[in-house]
């Protein structure tokens, strides 16, 4: 019997090739979308939960208020971990980590490594990364120890055993012994590394400090239920530390404290912006999940509409089956069997397409999904269950329509579908297009905001600026390199700084003396070299740039008693201090020691456009330089870079000439927005295609149902154009309703999303007009096939059986 059902189902599929192809394409597309989004969403939702102790691990973040300005950051001082373990019995262990970029050499080859992670000795106690070689308790328990991933070990040592060998960092001044081989972190881990180095190698391990916040601190608690209580106890403890160790008097508005958050909540629910890795967004997870479900629903609705449209052609078949004694249950099994056959075929095809699309999807999402994620037992079981659900959902309504019609009615006039069913199908088409128009409008809003970001005047020129890292061994050569770079053809100017102006994270504070007392200001700061403003294309509102004479004021003799700094403030800092740019020039400002304001730079965006421009201090200090910036002409870029490389290699032998352009740093600030824009573009396109398939299905159904009406109209003199317009008009009305439904929802969603940006676009009417016009054009194309076919058909054929 089952074999017979399958044979008949296959015959019907072959007999109706067009409808079957549309069904398979629609379901395959919906399942592909669901699977790809499912991979992304699952990764986001399962971040860090693979650790055995995940429920007991807390990350510490810092909160402090200075001069009325509240700040939160995910990094802490080096004292937090060890002091909390000594103070609170709930803390069983701790791990401090620090991400670093350094030049690594095996003695013959050198590479710039961005995935270096310093970690405390208990790293493998807290976290469940597999250690293939080495003792978990000792691999990081002393200075100058290193653990490599298998890929990194192969990179430096080939097939040779790396244990016991050494790697040199920054030209050999810093040598590390390889003590272990550990698995590479999975995609859903906030801790990513290629090389683990012992935290004991850092000076910070010996000098515990509260305030020099450069480290991520993780605590292992006795049990998960202790986190809330411990967080409160930490707050009480830090009130005492404020007075005894930080010099903050009781009753002061200023304070310094720490909070705890569960490890598994950090990626999607953290109270602070993560500087360690790109944080996720629960909003995006919700949106993409809903999009996946809606796209799958659209595909199922298409199947229902197409199957129902085909049912009017199968009246004779069903009538004969009933006359020959077929029971209702048998007919149900027959039509559900057809649905399952198409769904299973579409599912298999979807898996193959997903595997082929993974490289493209990885590029869009900035992930590294592999086919193994698709063929895991859990994934395959989920896919099988999904196909069964789709088969039931897509096949149940057509089966009900086809089996519930009375035999007399079938033999007399075939299968007719009620007007209430027509209302349902029209509602579903409107629903489909509402989703599609919403996604198109949302995509346009995101694209417009990203275009605004790319084209906004940031207050500096990020184009054609080459960024070169300066490590400790290169620092003594900095002046020599700067001079050589400056003399290179096509180089406009050269400078250096601690970090580039796209993202200045250095927190600092200054104070001034007024008649009514001392006024303090919390701000960001950046140490720079000469020609910083020139190289970055920044403009002064008042005063002057730094000059070489300013270095002469930095007298370090006599225990810095005669040391005098020079400062440049931005307009926001000057305004916060109650000055105008002109009045600020020559004022004395205290930062550790006293200094003079020599210039006021126009405000520029030194952080993401998510944040408003804050106060900024620029000071002269070449000892803190970590990057060199080289402004070059647009002409002969390749030739200029080759000349810069030759200059570097002639003077720096311990590390390669690894450079990037400042544009790349700027783009990294908006990687999440760019990723969601690409995803929205992809899936809004899919939604439009599927909605058009649904419209195609409804047009097919309508023209079949109205075949005799159209024939009569043509006999009575109706023109081809009038019939075409009559058929198309009813569907374009549905699209018009969808536009009215989708527009306010898209406006609300877009406005809510834009609230996360301090600087944002205004949502203009043309965005919704463009989305609606696009939907109308696509819908017209989808309907035109059936409309023209019905309008040009010979009325004799449609009326012959009357």
């Amino acid at each position: 019997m089952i074999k017979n059902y399958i044979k008949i189902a296959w015959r019907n599929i072959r007999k109706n090739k067009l409808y079957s192809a549309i069904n398979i394409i629609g379901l395959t597309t919906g399942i592909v979308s669901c699977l790809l989004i499912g991979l992304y969403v699952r990764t986001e939702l399962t971040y860090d939960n693979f650790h055995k102790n995940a429920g007991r691990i807390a990350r510490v973040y810092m909160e402090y208020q200075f001069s009325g300005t509240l700040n939160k950051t995910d990094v802490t001082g080096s004292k937090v971990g060890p002091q909390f373990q000594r103070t609170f019995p709930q803390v069983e262990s701790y791990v401090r980590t620090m991400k670093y970029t350094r030049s690594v050499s095996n003695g013959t080859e050198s590479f710039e490594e961005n995935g270096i992670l310093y970690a405390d000795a208990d790293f493998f106690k807290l976290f469940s990364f597999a250690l293939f070689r080495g003792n978990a308790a000792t691999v990081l328990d002393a200075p100058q120890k290193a653990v490599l991933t298998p890929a990194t070990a192969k990179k430096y040592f080939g097939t040779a055993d790396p244990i016991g060998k050494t790697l040199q960092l920054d030209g050999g001044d810093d040598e590390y012994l390889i003590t272990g081989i550990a698995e590479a972190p999975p995609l859903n881990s906030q801790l990513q590394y290629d090389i683990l180095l012992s935290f004991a190698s850092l000076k910070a391990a010996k000098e515990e400090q509260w305030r020099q916040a450069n480290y991520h601190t993780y605590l292992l608690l006795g049990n998960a239920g202790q986190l809330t209580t411990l967080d409160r106890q930490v707050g009480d403890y830090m009130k005492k530390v404020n007075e005894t160790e930080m010099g903050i008097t009781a009753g002061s508005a200023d304070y310094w404290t720490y909070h705890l958050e569960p490890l598994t909540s950090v990626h999607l629910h953290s109270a602070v912006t993560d500087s360690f890795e790109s944080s996720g967004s629960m909003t995006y997870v919700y949106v993409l999940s809903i999009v996946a479900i809606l796209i799958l629903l659209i595909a199922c609705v298409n199947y229902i509409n197409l199957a129902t449209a085909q049912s009017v052609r199968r009246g004779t078949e069903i009538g004969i089956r009933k006359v020959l004694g077929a029971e209702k249950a048998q007919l149900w099994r027959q039509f559900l069997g057809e649905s399952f056959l198409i769904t299973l075929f579409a599912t298999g095809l979807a898996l193959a397409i997903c595997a082929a699309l993974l490289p493209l999807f990885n590029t869009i999402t900035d992930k590294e999904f592999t086919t193994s994620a698709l063929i895991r037992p859990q994934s395959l079981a989920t896919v099988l269950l999904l196909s069964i659900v789709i088969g039931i959902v897509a096949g149940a309504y057509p089966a009900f329509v086809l089996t519930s019609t009375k035999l007399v009615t079938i033999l007399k006039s075939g299968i007719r579908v009620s007007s209430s069913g027509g209302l349902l199908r029209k509602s579903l088409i409107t629903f489909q297009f509402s989703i599609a128009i919403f996604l198109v409008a949302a995509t346009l809003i995101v694209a417009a905001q990203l275009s605004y970001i790319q084209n906004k005047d940031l207050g500096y020129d990020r184009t054609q600026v080459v960024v070169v890292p300066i490590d400790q061994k290169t620092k003594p050569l900095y002046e020599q390199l700067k001079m050589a770079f400056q003399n290179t053809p096509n180089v406009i100017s050269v400078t250096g700084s601690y970090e580039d102006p796209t993202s200045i994270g250095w927190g600092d504070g200054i104070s001034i003396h007024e008649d009514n007392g001392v006024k303090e200001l919390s701000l960001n700061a950046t140490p720079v070299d000469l020609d910083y403003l020139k190289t970055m294309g920044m403009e002064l509102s008042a005063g002057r740039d730094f000059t070489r004479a300013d270095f002469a004021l930095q007298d370090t003799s006599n225990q810095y008693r005669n040391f005098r700094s020079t400062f440049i403030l931005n307009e926001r800092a000057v305004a916060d201090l109650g000055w105008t740019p002109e009045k600020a020039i020559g004022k004395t400002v205290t930062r550790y020691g006293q200094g003079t304001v020599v210039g006021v730079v126009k405000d520029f965006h030194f952080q993401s456009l998510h944040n408003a421009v804050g106060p900024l201090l620029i000071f002269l200090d070449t000892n803190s330089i970590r990057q060199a910036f080289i402004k070059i002409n647009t002409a002969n870029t390749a030739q200029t870079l080759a000349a810069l490389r030759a200059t570097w290699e002639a003077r720096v032998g311990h590390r390669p000439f690894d450079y990037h352009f400042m544009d790349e740093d700027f783009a990294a600030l908006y990687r999440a927005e760019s990723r969601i824009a690409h995803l929205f573009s992809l899936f809004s396109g899919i939604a439009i295609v599927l909605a058009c398939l649904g419209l195609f299905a409804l047009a097919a159904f309508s023209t079949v149902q109205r075949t005799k009406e159209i024939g009569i109209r043509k006999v009575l003199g109706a023109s081809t154009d009038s019939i075409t317009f009559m058929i198309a008009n009813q569907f374009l009305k549905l699209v018009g309703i969808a536009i009215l439904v989708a527009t306010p929802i898209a406006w609300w969603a877009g406005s809510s999303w834009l609230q996360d940006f301090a600087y944002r676009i205004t949502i203009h009417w043309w965005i919704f007009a463009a989305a609606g016009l696009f939907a109308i054009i696509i819908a017209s194309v989808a309907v035109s096939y059936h409309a023209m076919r019905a309008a040009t058909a010979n009325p004799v054929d449609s009326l012959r059986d009357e």
Side-chain angles (χ1 to χ4, degrees), residues 308 397 401 415-425 701 705:
T308 309
Y397 180 71
V401 171
I415 293 177
R416 296 285 172 179
V417 183
S418 67
S419 59
S420 61
L423 179 61
L424 173 64
R425 284 185 299 280
F701 176 80
Q705 288 285 79

Side-chain angles (χ1 to χ4, degrees), residues 645-721:
R645 182 185 299 277
T647 299
W648 177 274
E649 292 176 348
R651 293 162 177 79
V652 182
H654 70 279
R655 66 183 301 161
F657 180 67
D658 286 309
Y659 70 90
H660 65 274
F661 285 91
M662 193 188 295
D663 273 333
E664 298 171 42
D665 294 326
F666 179 77
L669 295 175
Y670 307 100
R671 190 170 290 132
E673 288 77 16
S674 179
R675 184 163 57 238
I676 205 67
H678 283 109
L679 288 173
F680 262 79
S681 298
L682 173 64
F683 293 113
S684 63
I686 290 173
I688 280 285
V689 170
L690 290 179
C692 287
L693 286 175
L695 198 60
F696 185 89
L698 189 58
F701 176 80
S702 178
T703 52
V704 170
Q705 288 285 79
R706 301 176 70 178
T707 299
K708 292 179 176 61
E709 176 195 343
I710 294 170
I712 293 171
R713 286 179 179 273
K714 293 200 72 174
V715 169
L716 295 176
S719 65
T720 299
D721 289 343

